[in-house]
Amino acid sequence: MTLVLALFPALAGCDSHEEEAPPMAPPSVTVTKAVRQEVTDWDEFTGRFVSTERVELRARVSGYLDSISFADGQVVKRGDMLFRIDPRPFVAAVTEAEARLTGARSQATLAQQEYDRAKNLLQYRAASEANLEQRVQAVENTKAQVVQAEAALQRARLDLEFTTIRAPLAGRIGRHLVSPGNLVSGGEASSATLLATIVTMDPIDFSFDLDQASALRYVRLAQRGDRPSSRDFENPVQLALADEAGFPHQGRVVFVDNEADAGTGTIRLRARFDNPHDLFAPGVFARVRLIASAPYQAVLVPDAAVATDQSRRVLYVLGGGNMPEARQVRLGPLHDGLRVIRDGLHGNEEVVVGGMMRVRAGQPVVPQRPAAPGAVSDARP
């Protein structure tokens, strides 16, 4: 009992010490003011580069490949010689066709002379009309043979010309698929031997797919006159490669498909970009953004000011007495690091951007406002 009575003063001293502890100072946070400015929304899509033109070089005549006149992967110009098929059989075919044409013309000359002779004899009743008709038929037949021989000669000369395969357009050629000494098959169909491919590099197209919601929104914008349709106007686009921040490359929409894909419901678009230094290559993936609205006045805050409260997005707005208020907002897209606030702000509030983990709604804070760029500080060392 004596021990218990002796502990009472000590316990009372502890309670009085706790009651005398000074209150915690309000936390220091960084605040900034929301801004109003004119912005334009952009939609982002992923796609890949495709060549504007692509040509498969195939043999048009059959023969043994004689030589290759390019290095794999080099840039070629229109008309450059690329492959050569052994021309000797085709030279012989041209010579043979020329000889046949000479013989056909000789026969035509003889038939014409015999016709003229029979016609003169008929005037003196020294020949029959049946003989003259036979001569007429012979003239017509030899004329047809001459035309046939001329066509055969033209075909033989074409085959000889086809032994030299030239670049049909300027671009970058791939690797050769057939080496000299191999037999290649010619023809007009896809069964002809594929020798190489050429793709154009400058300009280059970027292919991407548009989802149904975006496509319908663009149609509504065009109907209201807020944004022209990409079918009628080359709307601007911006592109970024995998290692680039922002969208530094400028292009334009040049094609909108006339139907949606039956499997995915998306619509294919193509944008065109200048590529003078071969920075873009066919098949490479990249990100592109397409203008999605007319210019409008928006309220923007730093994206770091947006907090998550369960399923809600909130901002801590500084109120009277430096009391922060958690205000639910509806977000828009990013513009140069600033987040568009669709609903929840008027545009003249101050929001917390730093020290948010120390903020409690209804508890005062000490706001720190960063100096504007270029401002001169009065602080002394």
mmCIF file of all heavy atoms in Angstrom, residues 32-71:
data_model
loop_
_atom_site.group_PDB
_atom_site.id
_atom_site.type_symbol
_atom_site.label_atom_id
_atom_site.label_comp_id
_atom_site.label_asym_id
_atom_site.label_seq_id
_atom_site.Cartn_x
_atom_site.Cartn_y
_atom_site.Cartn_z
ATOM 1 N N THR A 32 1.194 25.834 -56.245
ATOM 2 C CA THR A 32 1.271 26.623 -57.479
ATOM 3 C C THR A 32 -0.135 26.938 -57.929
ATOM 4 O O THR A 32 -1.100 26.253 -57.536
ATOM 5 C CB THR A 32 2.028 25.862 -58.583
ATOM 6 O OG1 THR A 32 2.250 26.735 -59.697
ATOM 7 C CG2 THR A 32 1.229 24.661 -59.070
ATOM 8 N N LYS A 33 -0.257 27.944 -58.757
ATOM 9 C CA LYS A 33 -1.567 28.402 -59.191
ATOM 10 C C LYS A 33 -1.930 27.737 -60.513
ATOM 11 O O LYS A 33 -1.089 27.572 -61.402
ATOM 12 C CB LYS A 33 -1.565 29.921 -59.362
ATOM 13 C CG LYS A 33 -2.957 30.511 -59.539
ATOM 14 C CD LYS A 33 -2.900 32.030 -59.499
ATOM 15 C CE LYS A 33 -4.311 32.620 -59.588
ATOM 16 N NZ LYS A 33 -4.293 34.097 -59.537
ATOM 17 N N ALA A 34 -3.189 27.331 -60.626
ATOM 18 C CA ALA A 34 -3.683 26.792 -61.891
ATOM 19 C C ALA A 34 -3.644 27.892 -62.955
ATOM 20 O O ALA A 34 -3.777 29.080 -62.652
ATOM 21 C CB ALA A 34 -5.102 26.263 -61.715
ATOM 22 N N VAL A 35 -3.443 27.466 -64.198
ATOM 23 C CA VAL A 35 -3.339 28.432 -65.294
ATOM 24 C C VAL A 35 -4.434 28.159 -66.313
ATOM 25 O O VAL A 35 -4.921 27.036 -66.456
ATOM 26 C CB VAL A 35 -1.952 28.354 -65.966
ATOM 27 C CG1 VAL A 35 -0.865 28.728 -64.991
ATOM 28 C CG2 VAL A 35 -1.692 26.966 -66.540
ATOM 29 N N ARG A 36 -4.781 29.226 -67.019
ATOM 30 C CA ARG A 36 -5.720 29.120 -68.130
ATOM 31 C C ARG A 36 -4.974 29.460 -69.418
ATOM 32 O O ARG A 36 -4.281 30.463 -69.483
ATOM 33 C CB ARG A 36 -6.893 30.079 -67.948
ATOM 34 C CG ARG A 36 -8.010 29.537 -67.080
ATOM 35 C CD ARG A 36 -9.207 30.480 -67.101
ATOM 36 N NE ARG A 36 -10.349 29.906 -66.421
ATOM 37 C CZ ARG A 36 -11.227 29.112 -67.008
ATOM 38 N NH1 ARG A 36 -11.089 28.803 -68.288
ATOM 39 N NH2 ARG A 36 -12.245 28.624 -66.330
ATOM 40 N N GLN A 37 -5.119 28.610 -70.424
ATOM 41 C CA GLN A 37 -4.509 28.901 -71.709
ATOM 42 C C GLN A 37 -5.232 28.125 -72.809
ATOM 43 O O GLN A 37 -5.973 27.177 -72.536
ATOM 44 C CB GLN A 37 -3.029 28.557 -71.715
ATOM 45 C CG GLN A 37 -2.716 27.075 -71.634
ATOM 46 C CD GLN A 37 -1.221 26.810 -71.621
ATOM 47 O OE1 GLN A 37 -0.461 27.535 -70.990
ATOM 48 N NE2 GLN A 37 -0.793 25.773 -72.304
ATOM 49 N N GLU A 38 -4.998 28.547 -74.043
ATOM 50 C CA GLU A 38 -5.632 27.890 -75.184
ATOM 51 C C GLU A 38 -4.827 26.657 -75.568
ATOM 52 O O GLU A 38 -3.612 26.718 -75.758
ATOM 53 C CB GLU A 38 -5.707 28.857 -76.371
ATOM 54 C CG GLU A 38 -6.475 28.303 -77.558
ATOM 55 C CD GLU A 38 -6.564 29.289 -78.708
ATOM 56 O OE1 GLU A 38 -5.613 29.322 -79.526
ATOM 57 O OE2 GLU A 38 -7.548 30.041 -78.783
ATOM 58 N N VAL A 39 -5.496 25.523 -75.687
ATOM 59 C CA VAL A 39 -4.842 24.264 -76.030
ATOM 60 C C VAL A 39 -5.640 23.569 -77.126
ATOM 61 O O VAL A 39 -6.799 23.903 -77.402
ATOM 62 C CB VAL A 39 -4.715 23.337 -74.803
ATOM 63 C CG1 VAL A 39 -3.871 23.963 -73.718
ATOM 64 C CG2 VAL A 39 -6.094 22.962 -74.263
ATOM 65 N N THR A 40 -4.990 22.589 -77.725
ATOM 66 C CA THR A 40 -5.623 21.721 -78.717
ATOM 67 C C THR A 40 -5.329 20.281 -78.335
ATOM 68 O O THR A 40 -4.178 19.930 -78.054
ATOM 69 C CB THR A 40 -5.088 22.009 -80.130
ATOM 70 O OG1 THR A 40 -5.335 23.374 -80.459
ATOM 71 C CG2 THR A 40 -5.780 21.131 -81.164
ATOM 72 N N ASP A 41 -6.342 19.435 -78.311
ATOM 73 C CA ASP A 41 -6.166 18.037 -77.916
ATOM 74 C C ASP A 41 -5.589 17.225 -79.078
ATOM 75 O O ASP A 41 -5.867 17.487 -80.254
ATOM 76 C CB ASP A 41 -7.498 17.424 -77.494
ATOM 77 C CG ASP A 41 -7.988 17.997 -76.174
ATOM 78 O OD1 ASP A 41 -7.173 18.584 -75.448
ATOM 79 O OD2 ASP A 41 -9.193 17.853 -75.880
ATOM 80 N N TRP A 42 -4.784 16.215 -78.702
ATOM 81 C CA TRP A 42 -4.211 15.282 -79.665
ATOM 82 C C TRP A 42 -4.477 13.860 -79.180
ATOM 83 O O TRP A 42 -4.453 13.594 -77.979
ATOM 84 C CB TRP A 42 -2.704 15.486 -79.802
ATOM 85 C CG TRP A 42 -2.304 16.840 -80.315
ATOM 86 C CD1 TRP A 42 -2.288 18.006 -79.621
ATOM 87 C CD2 TRP A 42 -1.862 17.152 -81.632
ATOM 88 N NE1 TRP A 42 -1.857 19.028 -80.420
ATOM 89 C CE2 TRP A 42 -1.582 18.542 -81.659
ATOM 90 C CE3 TRP A 42 -1.650 16.399 -82.794
ATOM 91 C CZ2 TRP A 42 -1.122 19.179 -82.803
ATOM 92 C CZ3 TRP A 42 -1.182 17.036 -83.918
ATOM 93 C CH2 TRP A 42 -0.927 18.410 -83.934
ATOM 94 N N ASP A 43 -4.748 12.956 -80.101
ATOM 95 C CA ASP A 43 -4.891 11.533 -79.795
ATOM 96 C C ASP A 43 -3.630 10.796 -80.221
ATOM 97 O O ASP A 43 -3.097 11.032 -81.316
ATOM 98 C CB ASP A 43 -6.099 10.931 -80.518
ATOM 99 C CG ASP A 43 -7.411 11.382 -79.906
ATOM 100 O OD1 ASP A 43 -7.413 11.773 -78.728
ATOM 101 O OD2 ASP A 43 -8.430 11.359 -80.616
ATOM 102 N N GLU A 44 -3.148 9.882 -79.368
ATOM 103 C CA GLU A 44 -1.925 9.132 -79.659
ATOM 104 C C GLU A 44 -2.268 7.731 -80.155
ATOM 105 O O GLU A 44 -3.192 7.086 -79.653
ATOM 106 C CB GLU A 44 -1.039 9.035 -78.417
ATOM 107 C CG GLU A 44 -0.442 10.358 -77.978
ATOM 108 C CD GLU A 44 0.584 10.189 -76.879
ATOM 109 O OE1 GLU A 44 1.085 9.048 -76.723
ATOM 110 O OE2 GLU A 44 0.888 11.177 -76.191
ATOM 111 N N PHE A 45 -1.493 7.273 -81.148
ATOM 112 C CA PHE A 45 -1.655 5.943 -81.721
ATOM 113 C C PHE A 45 -0.270 5.341 -81.961
ATOM 114 O O PHE A 45 0.719 6.056 -82.080
ATOM 115 C CB PHE A 45 -2.432 5.997 -83.043
ATOM 116 C CG PHE A 45 -3.784 6.644 -82.943
ATOM 117 C CD1 PHE A 45 -3.946 7.992 -83.243
ATOM 118 C CD2 PHE A 45 -4.883 5.919 -82.536
ATOM 119 C CE1 PHE A 45 -5.174 8.603 -83.143
ATOM 120 C CE2 PHE A 45 -6.125 6.515 -82.434
ATOM 121 C CZ PHE A 45 -6.269 7.859 -82.734
ATOM 122 N N THR A 46 -0.241 4.020 -82.017
ATOM 123 C CA THR A 46 0.989 3.292 -82.331
ATOM 124 C C THR A 46 0.845 2.662 -83.706
ATOM 125 O O THR A 46 -0.207 2.107 -84.034
ATOM 126 C CB THR A 46 1.265 2.205 -81.284
ATOM 127 O OG1 THR A 46 1.409 2.825 -80.005
ATOM 128 C CG2 THR A 46 2.543 1.453 -81.621
ATOM 129 N N GLY A 47 1.887 2.749 -84.492
ATOM 130 C CA GLY A 47 1.877 2.169 -85.830
ATOM 131 C C GLY A 47 3.287 1.865 -86.284
ATOM 132 O O GLY A 47 4.219 1.801 -85.478
ATOM 133 N N ARG A 48 3.453 1.683 -87.579
ATOM 134 C CA ARG A 48 4.783 1.377 -88.111
ATOM 135 C C ARG A 48 4.957 2.049 -89.461
ATOM 136 O O ARG A 48 3.983 2.368 -90.147
ATOM 137 C CB ARG A 48 4.995 -0.135 -88.233
ATOM 138 C CG ARG A 48 4.056 -0.815 -89.201
ATOM 139 C CD ARG A 48 4.258 -2.324 -89.206
ATOM 140 N NE ARG A 48 3.381 -2.989 -90.164
ATOM 141 C CZ ARG A 48 3.710 -3.199 -91.431
ATOM 142 N NH1 ARG A 48 4.883 -2.813 -91.885
ATOM 143 N NH2 ARG A 48 2.874 -3.806 -92.246
ATOM 144 N N PHE A 49 6.216 2.225 -89.826
ATOM 145 C CA PHE A 49 6.536 2.844 -91.101
ATOM 146 C C PHE A 49 6.373 1.827 -92.232
ATOM 147 O O PHE A 49 6.692 0.643 -92.083
ATOM 148 C CB PHE A 49 7.979 3.364 -91.094
ATOM 149 C CG PHE A 49 8.180 4.572 -90.223
ATOM 150 C CD1 PHE A 49 8.763 4.451 -88.977
ATOM 151 C CD2 PHE A 49 7.776 5.827 -90.651
ATOM 152 C CE1 PHE A 49 8.955 5.563 -88.178
ATOM 153 C CE2 PHE A 49 7.962 6.936 -89.857
ATOM 154 C CZ PHE A 49 8.544 6.805 -88.614
ATOM 155 N N VAL A 50 5.880 2.319 -93.355
ATOM 156 C CA VAL A 50 5.781 1.520 -94.576
ATOM 157 C C VAL A 50 6.288 2.379 -95.726
ATOM 158 O O VAL A 50 6.160 3.605 -95.712
ATOM 159 C CB VAL A 50 4.336 1.054 -94.848
ATOM 160 C CG1 VAL A 50 3.874 0.071 -93.796
ATOM 161 C CG2 VAL A 50 3.382 2.235 -94.912
ATOM 162 N N SER A 51 6.871 1.741 -96.707
ATOM 163 C CA SER A 51 7.388 2.484 -97.853
ATOM 164 C C SER A 51 6.224 3.015 -98.689
ATOM 165 O O SER A 51 5.176 2.371 -98.818
ATOM 166 C CB SER A 51 8.286 1.589 -98.704
ATOM 167 O OG SER A 51 7.574 0.431 -99.124
ATOM 168 N N THR A 52 6.433 4.194 -99.259
ATOM 169 C CA THR A 52 5.421 4.767 -100.138
ATOM 170 C C THR A 52 5.232 3.904 -101.380
ATOM 171 O O THR A 52 4.116 3.681 -101.839
ATOM 172 C CB THR A 52 5.823 6.196 -100.535
ATOM 173 O OG1 THR A 52 6.025 6.970 -99.350
ATOM 174 C CG2 THR A 52 4.755 6.867 -101.369
ATOM 175 N N GLU A 53 6.332 3.409 -101.936
ATOM 176 C CA GLU A 53 6.297 2.505 -103.082
ATOM 177 C C GLU A 53 7.205 1.327 -102.796
ATOM 178 O O GLU A 53 8.282 1.480 -102.211
ATOM 179 C CB GLU A 53 6.754 3.209 -104.360
ATOM 180 C CG GLU A 53 5.938 4.429 -104.736
ATOM 181 C CD GLU A 53 4.541 4.099 -105.204
ATOM 182 O OE1 GLU A 53 4.302 2.915 -105.541
ATOM 183 O OE2 GLU A 53 3.691 5.006 -105.242
ATOM 184 N N ARG A 54 6.772 0.146 -103.243
ATOM 185 C CA ARG A 54 7.579 -1.075 -103.078
ATOM 186 C C ARG A 54 7.472 -1.894 -104.357
ATOM 187 O O ARG A 54 6.361 -2.146 -104.845
ATOM 188 C CB ARG A 54 7.099 -1.897 -101.890
ATOM 189 C CG ARG A 54 7.921 -3.151 -101.613
ATOM 190 C CD ARG A 54 7.385 -3.893 -100.397
ATOM 191 N NE ARG A 54 8.208 -5.025 -100.028
ATOM 192 C CZ ARG A 54 8.097 -6.231 -100.552
ATOM 193 N NH1 ARG A 54 7.164 -6.465 -101.476
ATOM 194 N NH2 ARG A 54 8.885 -7.225 -100.171
ATOM 195 N N VAL A 55 8.612 -2.279 -104.903
ATOM 196 C CA VAL A 55 8.642 -3.002 -106.171
ATOM 197 C C VAL A 55 9.411 -4.301 -105.986
ATOM 198 O O VAL A 55 10.504 -4.308 -105.405
ATOM 199 C CB VAL A 55 9.297 -2.151 -107.279
ATOM 200 C CG1 VAL A 55 9.425 -2.971 -108.567
ATOM 201 C CG2 VAL A 55 8.483 -0.901 -107.547
ATOM 202 N N GLU A 56 8.839 -5.398 -106.499
ATOM 203 C CA GLU A 56 9.531 -6.681 -106.545
ATOM 204 C C GLU A 56 10.133 -6.853 -107.935
ATOM 205 O O GLU A 56 9.429 -6.779 -108.946
ATOM 206 C CB GLU A 56 8.569 -7.834 -106.243
ATOM 207 C CG GLU A 56 8.019 -7.824 -104.825
ATOM 208 C CD GLU A 56 7.114 -9.007 -104.561
ATOM 209 O OE1 GLU A 56 6.711 -9.683 -105.556
ATOM 210 O OE2 GLU A 56 6.815 -9.282 -103.393
ATOM 211 N N LEU A 57 11.436 -7.048 -107.978
ATOM 212 C CA LEU A 57 12.132 -7.249 -109.249
ATOM 213 C C LEU A 57 12.085 -8.732 -109.603
ATOM 214 O O LEU A 57 12.633 -9.573 -108.883
ATOM 215 C CB LEU A 57 13.578 -6.771 -109.141
ATOM 216 C CG LEU A 57 13.779 -5.285 -108.823
ATOM 217 C CD1 LEU A 57 15.251 -4.971 -108.647
ATOM 218 C CD2 LEU A 57 13.177 -4.419 -109.914
ATOM 219 N N ARG A 58 11.409 -9.048 -110.704
ATOM 220 C CA ARG A 58 11.289 -10.430 -111.172
ATOM 221 C C ARG A 58 11.789 -10.515 -112.610
ATOM 222 O O ARG A 58 11.663 -9.558 -113.385
ATOM 223 C CB ARG A 58 9.844 -10.919 -111.089
ATOM 224 C CG ARG A 58 9.304 -10.993 -109.659
ATOM 225 C CD ARG A 58 7.893 -11.519 -109.620
ATOM 226 N NE ARG A 58 7.355 -11.549 -108.270
ATOM 227 C CZ ARG A 58 7.484 -12.573 -107.436
ATOM 228 N NH1 ARG A 58 8.116 -13.676 -107.837
ATOM 229 N NH2 ARG A 58 6.979 -12.523 -106.218
ATOM 230 N N ALA A 59 12.313 -11.679 -112.948
ATOM 231 C CA ALA A 59 12.791 -11.900 -114.308
ATOM 232 C C ALA A 59 11.609 -12.008 -115.266
ATOM 233 O O ALA A 59 10.603 -12.657 -114.962
ATOM 234 C CB ALA A 59 13.634 -13.172 -114.367
ATOM 235 N N ARG A 60 11.724 -11.371 -116.436
ATOM 236 C CA ARG A 60 10.671 -11.440 -117.446
ATOM 237 C C ARG A 60 11.014 -12.411 -118.557
ATOM 238 O O ARG A 60 10.161 -12.733 -119.389
ATOM 239 C CB ARG A 60 10.415 -10.047 -118.010
ATOM 240 C CG ARG A 60 9.996 -9.056 -116.939
ATOM 241 C CD ARG A 60 9.630 -7.712 -117.504
ATOM 242 N NE ARG A 60 8.414 -7.770 -118.301
ATOM 243 C CZ ARG A 60 7.811 -6.700 -118.818
ATOM 244 N NH1 ARG A 60 8.322 -5.507 -118.614
ATOM 245 N NH2 ARG A 60 6.716 -6.834 -119.537
ATOM 246 N N VAL A 61 12.264 -12.850 -118.592
ATOM 247 C CA VAL A 61 12.682 -13.898 -119.531
ATOM 248 C C VAL A 61 13.494 -14.925 -118.759
ATOM 249 O O VAL A 61 14.091 -14.620 -117.724
ATOM 250 C CB VAL A 61 13.524 -13.311 -120.696
ATOM 251 C CG1 VAL A 61 12.674 -12.426 -121.583
ATOM 252 C CG2 VAL A 61 14.736 -12.558 -120.172
ATOM 253 N N SER A 62 13.498 -16.134 -119.273
ATOM 254 C CA SER A 62 14.244 -17.216 -118.627
ATOM 255 C C SER A 62 15.665 -17.268 -119.171
ATOM 256 O O SER A 62 15.909 -16.993 -120.353
ATOM 257 C CB SER A 62 13.548 -18.554 -118.878
ATOM 258 O OG SER A 62 12.247 -18.549 -118.324
ATOM 259 N N GLY A 63 16.587 -17.606 -118.304
ATOM 260 C CA GLY A 63 17.982 -17.717 -118.708
ATOM 261 C C GLY A 63 18.879 -17.783 -117.490
ATOM 262 O O GLY A 63 18.414 -17.770 -116.334
ATOM 263 N N TYR A 64 20.170 -17.852 -117.748
ATOM 264 C CA TYR A 64 21.143 -17.918 -116.672
ATOM 265 C C TYR A 64 21.563 -16.502 -116.280
ATOM 266 O O TYR A 64 21.875 -15.670 -117.140
ATOM 267 C CB TYR A 64 22.357 -18.731 -117.107
ATOM 268 C CG TYR A 64 22.098 -20.223 -117.124
ATOM 269 C CD1 TYR A 64 21.667 -20.842 -118.290
ATOM 270 C CD2 TYR A 64 22.252 -20.998 -115.977
ATOM 271 C CE1 TYR A 64 21.402 -22.208 -118.315
ATOM 272 C CE2 TYR A 64 21.989 -22.358 -115.986
ATOM 273 C CZ TYR A 64 21.563 -22.955 -117.162
ATOM 274 O OH TYR A 64 21.300 -24.302 -117.176
ATOM 275 N N LEU A 65 21.556 -16.234 -114.964
ATOM 276 C CA LEU A 65 21.941 -14.914 -114.479
ATOM 277 C C LEU A 65 23.430 -14.718 -114.711
ATOM 278 O O LEU A 65 24.259 -15.523 -114.287
ATOM 279 C CB LEU A 65 21.604 -14.789 -112.993
ATOM 280 C CG LEU A 65 21.728 -13.386 -112.393
ATOM 281 C CD1 LEU A 65 20.766 -12.419 -113.057
ATOM 282 C CD2 LEU A 65 21.457 -13.432 -110.888
ATOM 283 N N ASP A 66 23.729 -13.611 -115.407
ATOM 284 C CA ASP A 66 25.108 -13.371 -115.816
ATOM 285 C C ASP A 66 25.872 -12.503 -114.818
ATOM 286 O O ASP A 66 27.021 -12.796 -114.478
ATOM 287 C CB ASP A 66 25.117 -12.712 -117.197
ATOM 288 C CG ASP A 66 26.491 -12.715 -117.825
ATOM 289 O OD1 ASP A 66 27.326 -13.528 -117.412
ATOM 290 O OD2 ASP A 66 26.732 -11.887 -118.731
ATOM 291 N N SER A 67 25.253 -11.409 -114.324
ATOM 292 C CA SER A 67 25.984 -10.493 -113.441
ATOM 293 C C SER A 67 25.015 -9.693 -112.595
ATOM 294 O O SER A 67 23.820 -9.569 -112.915
ATOM 295 C CB SER A 67 26.869 -9.539 -114.259
ATOM 296 O OG SER A 67 26.068 -8.730 -115.103
ATOM 297 N N ILE A 68 25.534 -9.127 -111.487
ATOM 298 C CA ILE A 68 24.801 -8.230 -110.592
ATOM 299 C C ILE A 68 25.593 -6.936 -110.503
ATOM 300 O O ILE A 68 26.811 -6.956 -110.314
ATOM 301 C CB ILE A 68 24.632 -8.859 -109.191
ATOM 302 C CG1 ILE A 68 23.821 -10.151 -109.287
ATOM 303 C CG2 ILE A 68 23.955 -7.881 -108.242
ATOM 304 C CD1 ILE A 68 23.703 -10.883 -107.971
ATOM 305 N N SER A 69 24.898 -5.805 -110.640
ATOM 306 C CA SER A 69 25.582 -4.505 -110.749
ATOM 307 C C SER A 69 25.264 -3.570 -109.589
ATOM 308 O O SER A 69 25.203 -2.358 -109.775
ATOM 309 C CB SER A 69 25.215 -3.837 -112.078
ATOM 310 O OG SER A 69 25.525 -4.666 -113.165
ATOM 311 N N PHE A 70 25.059 -4.104 -108.405
ATOM 312 C CA PHE A 70 24.781 -3.255 -107.253
ATOM 313 C C PHE A 70 25.284 -3.950 -105.993
ATOM 314 O O PHE A 70 25.537 -5.165 -105.991
ATOM 315 C CB PHE A 70 23.288 -2.956 -107.120
ATOM 316 C CG PHE A 70 22.443 -4.174 -106.814
ATOM 317 C CD1 PHE A 70 22.173 -4.538 -105.491
ATOM 318 C CD2 PHE A 70 21.937 -4.963 -107.832
ATOM 319 C CE1 PHE A 70 21.411 -5.658 -105.206
ATOM 320 C CE2 PHE A 70 21.176 -6.077 -107.547
ATOM 321 C CZ PHE A 70 20.907 -6.428 -106.235
ATOM 322 N N ALA A 71 25.429 -3.164 -104.939
ATOM 323 C CA ALA A 71 25.772 -3.699 -103.621
ATOM 324 C C ALA A 71 24.494 -3.830 -102.798
ATOM 325 O O ALA A 71 23.627 -2.946 -102.840
ATOM 326 C CB ALA A 71 26.767 -2.787 -102.912
#
